[in-house]
Amino acid sequence: MRAARAGLAATGVAMMTFAIVGALTSPDIKLSRHLIFLLVSLLLNDVVLAPLFLGVGVAIRRLVRPPYRAVVQGALIVTAAVTYAAVPLLLGYGRTPDLPSALPRNYVAGYVLTVCAVWAGAALLMFGRRRRYGRPSRTTTVARIGQRLRPLKIR
Amino acid sequence: MVRPDRPDLDPPEPDDTAAAEAPLSRPGALATLRRLGETPLPAPPDALRRGPLRDGAFPSELRSKRLTSQLGAWLGIAFGICFVTGLLSHFIQHPGTWFWWPTGPSWLYRITQGTHVATGLAIVPLLGAKLWSVYPQLFTWPPAKNVLHAIERGSIAVLVSASVFQITTGILNIARWYAPMGFFFTTAHYYTAWLAIGALLVHVAVKLPVIRTNLFHQQRSVAEAPFTSGSLSRRGLLTAVAAGAGVITVATVGETFAPLSPVSVLGTRRPGQGPQGLPVNKSATGAGVITAATDPGYRLTLIGPDGPRKLSMAALTALDQHTVDLPIACVEGWSASASWTGVRMRDLATLAGVPGRAAVTVTSLQKGSRYGTSTLPPDFVDDPLTLLALRLGEEPLALDHGYPARLIAPNRPGVLQTKWVATITVDAV
């Protein structure tokens, strides 16, 4: 395995070197803009998106009861992925009047439809879980919410 | 990465960082390098260890090495597909002397490039889940144990950054939104691909023992996270990621796979929509060729060993006409089939005075564009499907499709199917 690892690492370093030398010597590369975009890509995940998802995760844990919670988490993962892929289409800055056949659809409607389909699927799953597991016990959940929001009287 | 509080989830195994530093057992310079790499770095004061840097700051029971390894394996395959198909597309456009690409099957490029874009889009949930699963690693304490550890963490930063870069620029490019990039997408995407895959190989080399243990040698009973928490299980997460990839694929793949077009509500093209029922990527207005292309005095310049000759539209139409069904397959991942009629390139090469093997360079009326010229290797010149097309369907080419004449050849990206052809240069090979 040591040989395999050494081979992988050496190939990887060679490829990265090729990338860096190529980028430094290519007249097509705008180095400053390229580096900024790389840095923004890193920060976008580490500083913006990851904390956002963690925050949503904490909120779901507090607000959504099992056995629905897993379905809501799954549906949110799908929604987030579709959203990331769709944002430039939703903003629509790529459209130009001379090219009506490029980006020809109503992407806001398409996005809403897609997300609705995802959550309709999630609702079906939740309905199935309700039948399988029965109505989730309110007492434990109410008790837990009660602990967190003591001043708030539920029922 | 080992979670001491949950030994049931992660059975003991060799610490991956220690494994990364496994002795290479080489004398001399390498040993010195190794010693240098293992020099401990001073740990920052513990008072700085706050917030996410605290032990147990990320309580999710869902994270496990097995989950990370599985997501990583899928991601590795997807990255591999994107890299190979991307390289193919690059070399078809910038062939080295060693590169050979067949003229058929005529639909091959639309498959490879459709796969490139579809896989890149499907990576979004996979990459998101993978980065989430290792996010606590960002807050490892101490930040760097030694020089080697610092280098390894740096390579992870490169990997994350280049991966997000590739996916994001790809999404921006197919949505034709170039402003946020501020650089030439194609070249940037190409070199960053090498950077990403290089960093990925280094990452796999470092983590190989962990990957092996968790992917192939783990007992299932130990691996499964208990479902008692009522949150998403490992399988549930993998299912959600697969569902995300599936939804994105169905919502976009109709741009190249016409039967799914009605449900691909996020597709960047509709295969049947555009002038003469075919989408366009560069308009005559955008290319600035309207005056030259509609000039009644238009003549095609055919340059061969016997010198240049000018062919009017009437002369071109008088040559043998052939009809072929070929797709326009865009680098942006969409494609659409059409029926083209025109003169075989082989016949034009012969007319130019090269009856044998010939390479042909086609130049557009469009000035100042890096896609204004394309070269046909001899195999493509000889292929009976390669035409200088004058008609699309039953009509003369629409202006946006390259009137008065365009190149159409099998198994090539759309950017090489030069429109508004001004000059054809034939060289004997």
Side-chain angles (χ1 to χ4, degrees):
Chain A
M1 185 160 74
R2 188 181 292 167
R5 296 177 72 195
L8 279 171
T11 313
V13 170
M15 289 170 87
M16 290 166 83
T17 310
F18 173 78
I20 292 164
V21 172
L24 288 176
T25 50
S26 167
D28 284 338
I29 294 281
K30 275 192 195 166
L31 205 60
S32 57
R33 292 301 301 256
H34 198 123
L35 290 175
I36 288 171
F37 206 100
L38 277 170
L39 186 67
V40 168
S41 298
L42 185 65
L43 296 180
L44 179 68
N45 177 69
D46 288 357
V47 182
V48 182
L49 295 180
L52 182 71
F53 291 150
L54 291 183
V56 172
V58 168
I60 291 172
R61 216 179 159 83
R62 292 197 177 161
L63 297 175
V64 186
R65 294 170 289 180
Y68 303 144
R69 189 193 291 155
V71 180
V72 171
Q73 288 173 317
L76 274 170
I77 289 171
V78 178
T79 306
V82 172
T83 306
Y84 196 81
V87 163
L89 296 173
L90 295 172
L91 295 175
Y93 291 120
R95 284 208 179 94
T96 48
D98 65 312
L99 270 181
S101 66
L103 309 176
R105 299 171 188 265
N106 179 346
Y107 294 105
V108 175
Y111 173 76
V112 170
L113 196 69
T114 308
V115 171
C116 285
V118 169
W119 285 91
L124 271 179
L125 277 177
M126 285 193 261
F127 183 69
R129 290 195 160 204
R130 185 189 176 119
R131 293 188 63 168
R132 195 155 14 123
Y133 299 107
R135 216 181 147 82
S137 144
R138 276 190 75 81
T139 49
T140 53
T141 315
V142 168
R144 210 166 56 224
I145 293 175
Q147 280 169 4
R148 289 234 169 74
L149 312 168
R150 198 162 293 280
L152 196 74
K153 287 273 184 290
I154 296 174
R155 292 237 179 182
Chain B
M1 197 194 251
V2 174
R3 304 172 60 92
D5 52 323
R6 294 187 58 82
D8 54 321
L9 274 188
D10 289 311
E13 58 189 52
D15 179 50
D16 45 301
T17 323
E21 295 151 17
L24 288 162
S25 67
R26 299 260 159 62
L30 269 182
T32 317
L33 266 182
R34 208 190 110 215
R35 242 192 341 271
L36 210 69
E38 287 172 3
T39 312
L41 293 171
D46 266 355
L48 290 176
R49 196 172 185 189
R50 290 161 186 276
L53 294 165
R54 279 172 299 132
D55 209 15
F58 297 92
S60 172
E61 295 169 335
L62 180 51
R63 287 195 186 88
S64 71
K65 289 186 178 184
R66 184 165 166 82
L67 173 70
T68 301
S69 299
Q70 286 178 322
L71 289 169
W74 283 106
L75 201 53
I77 292 169
F79 268 46
I81 292 172
C82 279
F83 189 57
V84 170
T85 50
L87 276 190
L88 254 180
S89 183
H90 175 85
F91 287 124
I92 294 168
Q93 294 173 67
H94 310 278
T97 47
W98 54 272
F99 184 77
W100 176 81
W101 180 244
T103 63
S106 61
W107 41 260
L108 185 58
Y109 182 79
R110 88 188 285 190
I111 299 283
T112 64
Q113 194 59 15
T115 305
H116 179 83
V117 171
T119 309
L121 286 168
I123 280 177
V124 171
L126 251 180
L127 183 61
K130 176 73 163 69
L131 292 177
W132 168 84
S133 80
V134 294
Y135 190 58
Q137 303 286 337
L138 182 62
F139 305 100
T140 304
W141 194 267
K145 281 183 280 193
N146 54 41
V147 177
L148 213 57
H149 186 213
I151 293 174
E152 193 233 320
R153 295 203 66 190
S155 80
I156 299 286
V158 171
L159 177 58
V160 173
S161 163
S163 303
V164 177
F165 181 103
Q166 286 300 83
I167 299 306
T168 308
T169 55
I171 289 172
L172 289 172
N173 188 63
I174 61 172
R176 308 177 60 83
W177 188 22
Y178 312 114
M181 293 190 272
F183 44 72
F184 180 53
F185 163 77
T186 311
T187 316
H189 202 63
Y190 171 70
Y191 284 117
T192 311
W194 284 98
L195 189 67
I197 300 297
L200 177 64
L201 291 187
V202 171
H203 180 55
V204 172
V206 170
K207 300 289 183 191
L208 200 55
V210 192
I211 296 169
R212 263 167 52 115
T213 309
N214 290 283
L215 221 46
F216 305 115
H217 301 303
Q218 186 128 354
Q219 288 161 6
R220 267 158 190 265
S221 55
V222 182
E224 290 307 311
F227 194 66
T228 49
S229 69
S231 295
L232 210 55
S233 65
R234 182 181 57 81
R235 286 197 183 153
L237 179 80
L238 293 176
T239 308
V241 167
V247 168
I248 291 180
T249 304
V250 169
T252 53
V253 81
E255 66 192 25
T256 183
F257 183 61
L260 275 182
S261 182
V263 291
S264 285
V265 289
L266 299 175
T268 58
R269 296 293 190 288
R270 266 201 202 94
Q273 184 171 344
Q276 300 173 324
L278 187 69
V280 173
N281 218 37
K282 188 80 187 175
S283 71
T285 312
V289 295
I290 291 190
T291 313
T294 53
D295 182 354
Y298 166 84
R299 297 287 181 275
L300 174 80
T301 309
L302 181 65
I303 303 172
D306 309 339
R309 72 162 78 193
K310 302 266 184 187
L311 296 170
S312 66
M313 280 303 276
L316 285 169
T317 329
L319 295 169
D320 272 352
Q321 302 291 305
H322 299 270
T323 300
V324 300
D325 287 325
L326 283 180
I328 289 287
C330 186
V331 289
E332 290 171 12
W334 64 268
S335 65
S337 295
S339 179
W340 312 86
T341 302
V343 187
R344 278 190 181 146
M345 195 56 72
R346 180 63 263 170
D347 295 347
L348 286 171
T350 309
L351 188 66
V354 187
R357 300 277 283 170
V360 163
T361 304
V362 181
T363 309
S364 174
L365 292 167
Q366 184 187 4
K367 301 273 183 284
S369 161
R370 60 175 82 227
Y371 300 119
T373 299
S374 79
T375 302
L376 284 165
D379 287 351
F380 283 80
V381 176
D382 286 344
D383 196 290
L385 293 176
T386 304
L387 300 186
L388 180 72
L390 308 173
R391 302 175 74 83
L392 172 52
E394 301 300 314
E395 305 159 21
L397 286 174
L399 202 51
D400 280 352
H401 285 309
Y403 177 87
R406 81 169 299 167
L407 171 64
I408 185 79
N411 199 19
R412 265 161 82 88
V415 286
L416 298 184
Q417 314 275 33
T418 308
K419 302 199 277 193
W420 312 292
V421 173
T423 310
I424 292 178
T425 309
V426 185
D427 293 302
V429 181

